[in-house]
Amino acid sequence: MTDDETPQTADGGTGPGATPLTDGGVEETTIDPWGSSTVADYRKLFEEFGIEAFDEILDEVPGPHYLMRRGVIFGHREYSPVAEALANDDPAAVLSGFMPTGDPHIGHKLVFDEIIWHQQQGADAYGLIADLEAHSARGMSWDEIDEHAESYLLSLLALGFDPEEGTLYRQSQNRELQDLAFELGSNARFAEFGSIYGFDGETSVSHMQSVVTQMADMLYPQLVDEPKPTVIPVGPDQDPHVRLARDLAVRMRFFKVSEAYASFEADAAERELISRAYQTLSEDGADETVRCEDAAAWLETTEVDSELTAARASAVDKLSEAGMEPVRPRVRFFHRHGPDEAFEAMIEAIEGEKRVYEAHIDSFDLDIGEAEALAREVEVDNGGYGFIQPSSIYHRFMTGLTGGKMSSSIPASHISLLDDPEEGYDKVKSATTGGRETAELQRELGGEADDCPVYELYAYLLAQDDDEFAKKVYDECVGGERLCGDCKEQAAVLMKEFLADHQEKREEAKELLENCDIELESDRRGPGGSH
Ligand code: SF4
């Protein structure tokens, strides 16, 4: 989940609002956390991988960051509980990691900003250095790792991370994290690493270990005080890690809580249909008890969407078999892991009407939200973690200044946060633009801000919180009032000022970093891995 930012051709700018979600220059959508990911069409991430559109929940976010407002943060997994916690001043956390393989650059700044914004909104904030991953997956030496780790931390502090309120750590120095990784590893299988990451017989054991360490990173904030909604801001290339961490969070739970309607088990689709039958029949029949066989008969003669026909057939079978048993909504607690004492404690803790079976309990007076909270509480009291699945937000990759990919290995394509300000100025002045061939054409047709790396610099960084300024640049560009020469000069000057200011703040941050509880020099040895 480290933001190793392997930026690539993005779909261009957005106007001050959202960008078009397509990219003309890239053909495929591949998601590889250690490779060079390409995202041809961000919409495919919604359809193929189940990432949800961020703009649909923007209204829920208190005082959203400009990266959210401008559509740079375009997707999420279950961010609503985090937004709700921030809005209500309830516990929440944010965590992201950085693989120290090079200098931090403006792509990483997006993630720094996302962490800091959440911290300012009241979340517990964590910035971690993924040094175990850098060593095992990238073969970085410990000396190189030390040097880059310090640089990432200085930029994070210089941009406003509050180390007194937040936590900085290195994977290699965090024993509690490594213990959690070990526990998570007990519930992760080599076969799934193969299918998720393409690991095979050549993959090093340490690389596999670094994966469970990353899973532990994402759950680590929940070890402190209590389980809490936690957001992981990353690029979409890190989504495989997020998905696995969310799965593992569930697998670690002692109890599975679900809604149920009768003594038999039903999956989510079957439950949905049985619920419909129950609602309809209980409304129609006033005080009469709804029996399973009545629900079966109703379902058999009711139209359902084609994707639910198989679920209807199996629900009808189950209901028919249950015959005269009443249909009654309830919540069910399955005991999946953990000691027998936890199950006993769960039975004790459920108030009101309940039925106890060999490995589950049905409660008739709790709603699903109350049941989940109770299950978590009992689990934590009995030696479990009670994890909440981590949430995530995804930001777009930045386009390289030379067009195409922004790559750490092509200096002209990106701006390092350590670049001399004059060099930053020169890089912007030499950047590719979305301008027309001649000034005359530009005045007539307007520029293509949506395909302009320079406009992206304004929207992602240089306009900062000033939406009006970003909009003005966009409108003037597409309206033909703004020509690229002047526009780049303005952006180059702003970039120079930003870099000078940032580097001054990095100097000031050195003292802050010295006072942080983090070892900057590792005494580890070993050549590292490469696969
Ligand atoms: Fe890009 Fe030129 Fe438009 Fe500026 S004027 S945003 S450089 S296309």
Side-chain angles (χ1 to χ4, degrees):
M1 141 292 321
T2 47
D3 204 89
D4 181 38
E5 194 71 21
T6 316
Q8 38 99 59
T9 309
D11 46 356
T14 93
T19 17
L21 288 168
T22 55
D23 173 10
V26 178
E27 304 262 306
E28 272 183 280
T29 298
T30 56
I31 300 243
D32 174 359
W34 292 288
S36 178
S37 293
T38 53
V39 182
D41 181 343
Y42 284 95
R43 268 186 307 239
K44 284 199 180 136
L45 299 176
F46 303 152
E47 289 151 22
E48 286 181 25
F49 299 100
I51 290 175
E52 296 171 88
F54 195 84
D55 57 7
E56 285 171 14
I57 55 150
L58 186 60
D59 288 351
E60 300 171 23
V61 184
H65 189 273
Y66 69 80
L67 293 173
M68 297 172 172
R69 301 197 300 266
R70 290 177 202 157
V72 179
I73 293 171
F74 69 93
H76 74 104
R77 282 191 191 275
E78 215 180 353
Y79 185 69
S80 291
V82 178
E84 194 182 332
L86 296 180
N88 296 332
D89 268 341
D90 288 336
V94 58
L95 171 141
S96 200
F98 302 93
M99 183 145 59
T101 53
D103 290 336
H105 56 66
I106 54 175
H108 297 111
K109 181 179 178 291
L110 301 179
V111 184
F112 293 142
D113 286 345
E114 290 170 71
I115 295 174
I116 292 162
W117 179 84
H118 281 89
Q119 183 177 42
Q120 290 165 348
Q121 302 300 307
D124 296 342
Y126 295 78
L128 73 100
I129 297 297
D131 52 3
L132 293 179
E133 185 187 359
H135 190 63
S136 64
R138 292 288 175 85
M140 303 286 293
S141 75
W142 287 106
D143 283 347
E144 289 169 312
I145 288 171
D146 287 350
E147 181 193 332
H148 296 311
E150 178 173 6
S151 193
Y152 278 88
L153 294 170
L154 285 175
S155 278
L156 179 59
L157 291 167
L159 288 165
F161 184 90
D162 179 350
E164 305 229 328
E165 292 295 323
T167 303
L168 301 172
Y169 70 84
R170 293 176 63 149
Q171 290 175 327
S172 63
Q173 293 166 6
N174 190 331
R175 178 59 205 251
E176 204 182 358
L177 175 87
Q178 291 169 25
D179 288 349
L180 174 58
F182 180 81
E183 292 299 327
L184 296 177
S186 306
N187 278 282
R189 298 287 168 262
F190 175 68
E192 68 188 336
F193 282 15
S195 61
I196 297 170
Y197 301 118
F199 285 1
D200 57 26
E202 295 301 309
T203 305
S204 78
V205 173
S206 294
H207 193 171
M208 284 188 270
Q209 192 184 344
S210 82
V211 172
V212 286
T213 307
Q214 284 181 79
M215 302 301 112
D217 284 326
M218 283 185 262
L219 296 167
Y220 180 69
Q222 301 194 53
L223 297 187
V224 183
D225 298 332
E226 59 187 328
K228 57 183 85 67
T230 301
V231 60
I232 316 294
V234 279
D237 55 329
Q238 301 298 306
D239 186 54
H241 291 319
V242 172
R243 289 201 306 262
L244 181 55
R246 286 172 59 80
D247 280 355
L248 285 173
V250 170
R251 283 182 223 166
M252 298 296 285
R253 295 297 310 276
F254 283 6
F255 298 99
K256 179 184 168 202
V257 179
S258 64
E259 288 173 314
Y261 291 87
S263 57
F264 56 80
E265 295 308 320
D267 65 23
E270 292 164 349
R271 286 200 300 273
E272 154 74 21
L273 292 168
I274 297 169
S275 164
R276 269 191 233 169
Y278 174 75
Q279 299 295 343
T280 309
L281 293 172
S282 51
E283 274 164 28
D284 289 353
D287 294 337
E288 280 186 34
T289 301
V290 178
R291 309 246 169 221
C292 287
E293 60 185 20
D294 305 331
W298 184 88
L299 263 184
E300 246 178 336
T301 55
T302 300
E303 289 277 310
V304 295
D305 294 342
S306 56
E307 68 267 19
L308 285 174
T309 42
R312 178 176 64 179
S314 53
V316 166
D317 285 349
K318 289 176 182 177
L319 287 163
S320 301
E321 202 166 309
M324 291 291 285
E325 180 184 338
V327 179
R328 277 187 73 194
R330 66 198 75 183
V331 288
R332 181 162 293 162
F333 299 78
F334 284 101
H335 187 212
R336 296 197 304 197
H337 292 297
D340 291 345
E341 294 76 40
F343 190 56
E344 296 302 322
M346 195 75 249
I347 296 168
E348 275 294 301
I350 296 170
E351 290 183 358
E353 186 183 348
K354 60 193 159 193
R355 272 187 212 153
V356 179
Y357 300 84
E358 193 180 339
H360 74 266
I361 311 158
D362 281 357
S363 160
F364 295 88
D365 293 330
L366 293 173
D367 67 30
I368 187 84
E370 292 166 336
E372 278 170 356
L374 188 63
R376 182 165 286 116
E377 193 183 309
V378 169
E379 179 177 328
V380 171
D381 286 348
N382 285 274
Y385 294 106
F387 289 132
I388 294 171
Q389 286 184 291
S391 311
S392 51
I393 49 176
Y394 303 98
H395 57 78
R396 292 163 190 274
F397 294 122
M398 289 184 87
T399 308
L401 296 177
T402 44
K405 284 187 178 185
M406 184 185 277
S407 165
S408 300
S409 56
I410 308 172
S413 76
H414 74 278
I415 293 175
S416 158
L417 296 176
L418 277 59
D419 275 349
D420 183 275
E422 284 297 340
E423 196 183 336
Y425 174 93
D426 290 343
K427 283 184 180 176
V428 177
K429 287 286 278 187
S430 311
T432 304
T433 73
R436 305 287 176 179
E437 281 165 18
T438 64
E440 205 177 18
L441 266 181
Q442 177 107 344
R443 286 198 188 91
E444 192 186 323
L445 302 173
E448 294 184 282
D450 288 329
D451 285 323
C452 177
V454 178
Y455 177 69
E456 235 178 69
L457 290 179
Y458 282 107
Y460 287 42
L461 190 155
L462 300 175
Q464 299 182 49
D465 203 37
D466 189 346
D467 286 348
E468 268 181 40
F469 176 46
K471 185 169 174 357
K472 182 169 178 284
V473 172
Y474 185 86
D475 289 346
E476 287 179 357
C477 170
V478 298
E481 296 156 50
R482 178 173 273 258
L483 298 182
C484 296
D486 289 346
C487 185
K488 285 207 284 188
E489 172 66 19
Q490 188 180 16
V493 168
L494 288 171
M495 183 60 78
K496 186 163 93 173
E497 287 170 3
F498 163 73
L499 288 172
D501 178 62
H502 180 65
Q503 287 163 21
E504 204 178 305
K505 289 186 173 135
R506 276 174 58 96
E507 284 302 313
E508 291 162 17
K510 283 183 176 161
E511 198 180 324
L512 271 181
L513 185 56
E514 272 171 26
N515 295 329
C516 290
D517 183 21
I518 186 165
E519 214 37 75
L520 295 174
E521 283 185 26
S522 175
D523 55 5
R524 287 182 173 237
R525 291 188 281 183
S530 59
H531 183 75

